[in-house]
Amino acid sequence: MGQALRYSNAMKAFYCQSYGGADVMRHGELPAPTAGRGQVLVRVQAASINPLDWKIRQGDFRLLTGRRFPKVLGADVAGVVEALGPGASGLVVGQRVYGVMPIFLGRQGAHAELVTLAAKRLRPLPEGWSFEQAAALPVAALTALNGLRRCGALKDRAVLVNGATGGVGHLAVQLAKARGARVTGVCSARNAERARALGCEQVVDYRQQSLAELGRAFDVIFDAYGLLGFTRAATALTASGHYATTLPTPGVMLHALWRRVLGGQQIVGANMRARGEDYDELQQLVTSGALRPIVEQVFPLAEAAQAFALAERGGAVGKIVLRLGG
Ligand SMILES: NC(=O)c1ccc[n+]([C@@H]2O[C@H](COP(=O)([O-])OP(=O)(O)OC[C@H]3O[C@@H](n4cnc5c(N)ncnc54)[C@H](OP(=O)(O)O)[C@@H]3O)[C@@H](O)[C@H]2O)c1
């Protein structure tokens, strides 16, 4: 009986049937994947939602995501190793793992009971971590970590985090603080207290105050929201300050190159980087208590539509997580 369930070829998933709005998403059964060469089959226990998921659903990256449907979304994954494909090594069946799914080029994501991915993309779950906590961390934290690293030393620096209570922002605030920065957070008024609790010494409501009113006070502006733009950021940056954005479009990066030639204020891309040393650093920070991913709400997979609606509406603090399995 147990065998039949384990090796059944169907799994529950939340997937899109075509590109479009929320109405193209379905909760239902899809064929379960099997682990290919070098791959691991993971029984998913938790997966989070990132803006990337609804951007893919909307067709914003069609050239990279192709025309194959149904498409399962979800980059962050935490679960248990169910099987190893030929040549996969470094993990064992039954091990608790987490990591990032490569969801471009026709690959399926983590909003499903079973996923396959290369063994090297998975990390053993540190002792004492919950699956929800692990699923909330990788994409957002690896993005914040890499973006801040590219802004140089932060000790005693004034850092402004734009979008300070969102998925990326709430971790960027804590990471900047852990590196000794004085942090100002920009968020909506209703989340001001939450931003202070994360470690922001000063909080600015983006609906009430423009950055220009703050003076050229910041060594770093980390734009977790992504759409502030260098021109507006520059009004609040010191003469050699760094503007880091989570939405480094080709136009922005061309501008960044030009700024490197000019000198003075610089632009850097805050992109996710998932090297072993990045995970090691994050794990140490979580273990020491300096970094705490906030899981704002957990939904069962069957209620993923509500979870997406909440995430897309905005206003939530930290991450929205889907719970699968028992
Ligand atoms: N390049 C990469 O590798 C990478 C990786 C991860 C994410 N991203 C991108 O980074 C962006 C943020 O991701 P996320 O996961 O943090 O999203 P999120 O959880 O939805 O957070 C967005 C945050 O922006 C705030 N915000 C909304 N309007 C704002 C405004 N006008 N000014 C300042 N802040 C504003 C929101 O505050 P309220 O909710 O309080 O309104 C919220 O805290 C997305 O575009 C995502 O695609 C890029």
Side-chain angles (χ1 to χ4, degrees), residues 26-111:
R26 294 283 179 280
H27 175 252
E29 288 200 338
L30 291 181
T34 50
R37 173 153 290 280
Q39 285 189 323
V40 177
L41 180 69
V42 175
R43 186 162 288 278
V44 180
Q45 298 296 319
S48 74
I49 296 176
N50 288 290
L52 177 64
D53 296 324
W54 64 83
K55 290 179 186 178
I56 289 177
R57 186 199 67 213
Q58 286 164 189
D60 293 7
F61 304 105
R62 273 165 211 255
L63 283 178
L64 291 173
T65 51
R67 292 159 173 260
R68 237 180 75 192
F69 292 95
K71 209 176 279 305
V72 181
L73 305 172
D76 289 312
V77 64
V80 178
V81 174
E82 179 91 354
L84 299 177
S89 60
L91 297 166
V92 294
V93 172
Q95 194 166 5
R96 291 152 51 96
V97 290
Y98 77 114
V100 178
M101 309 279 307
I103 50 175
F104 286 111
L105 305 174
R107 298 195 183 101
Q108 300 288 40
H111 298 165

Side-chain angles (χ1 to χ4, degrees), residues 49-52 54-55 61 139-140 143 162-170 186-191 206-207 223-228 232 245-248 269-273 311-319:
I49 296 176
N50 288 290
L52 177 64
W54 64 83
K55 290 179 186 178
F61 304 105
V139 170
T143 303
N162 190 46
T165 50
V168 176
H170 87 289
V186 178
C187 61
S188 54
R190 69 174 150 180
N191 288 331
Y206 62 75
R207 292 195 180 89
D223 187 8
Y225 172 57
L227 293 173
L228 177 66
R232 272 183 288 172
T245 175
T246 54
L247 295 177
N271 279 316
M272 192 194 77
R273 192 184 88 172
E312 291 189 59
R313 196 163 55 234
V317 175
K319 303 287 301 176

Side-chain angles (χ1 to χ4, degrees), residues 76-196:
D76 289 312
V77 64
V80 178
V81 174
E82 179 91 354
L84 299 177
S89 60
L91 297 166
V92 294
V93 172
Q95 194 166 5
R96 291 152 51 96
V97 290
Y98 77 114
V100 178
M101 309 279 307
I103 50 175
F104 286 111
L105 305 174
R107 298 195 183 101
Q108 300 288 40
H111 298 165
E113 287 178 317
L114 289 161
V115 297
T116 54
L117 73 170
K120 64 177 185 214
R121 292 186 182 274
L122 288 165
R123 301 271 303 184
L125 203 69
E127 197 61 38
W129 285 29
S130 70
F131 288 117
E132 287 89 343
Q133 184 185 23
L137 196 72
V139 170
L142 291 165
T143 303
L145 189 71
N146 194 38
L148 286 171
R149 180 191 299 109
R150 304 186 72 199
C151 297
L154 298 183
K155 184 147 178 48
D156 297 326
R157 296 293 169 107
V159 173
L160 180 141
V161 178
N162 190 46
T165 50
V168 176
H170 87 289
L171 297 164
V173 168
Q174 297 177 65
L175 288 169
K177 191 107 182 100
R179 291 186 171 174
R182 288 173 279 117
V183 184
T184 293
V186 178
C187 61
S188 54
R190 69 174 150 180
N191 288 331
E193 275 318 307
R194 304 286 299 273
R196 281 198 188 86

Side-chain angles (χ1 to χ4, degrees), residues 230-288:
F230 175 72
T231 310
R232 272 183 288 172
T235 62
L237 274 180
T238 57
S240 57
H242 283 72
Y243 169 65
T245 175
T246 54
L247 295 177
T249 59
V252 169
M253 291 326 286
L254 211 59
H255 192 182
L257 274 179
W258 179 234
R259 296 296 318 174
R260 281 174 71 174
V261 175
L262 287 180
Q265 296 170 331
Q266 297 296 306
I267 303 172
V268 298
N271 279 316
M272 192 194 77
R273 192 184 88 172
R275 296 190 187 158
E277 73 241 37
D278 301 325
Y279 278 108
D280 289 344
E281 190 174 346
L282 290 178
Q283 288 180 190
Q284 276 161 17
L285 287 161
V286 172
T287 304
S288 73

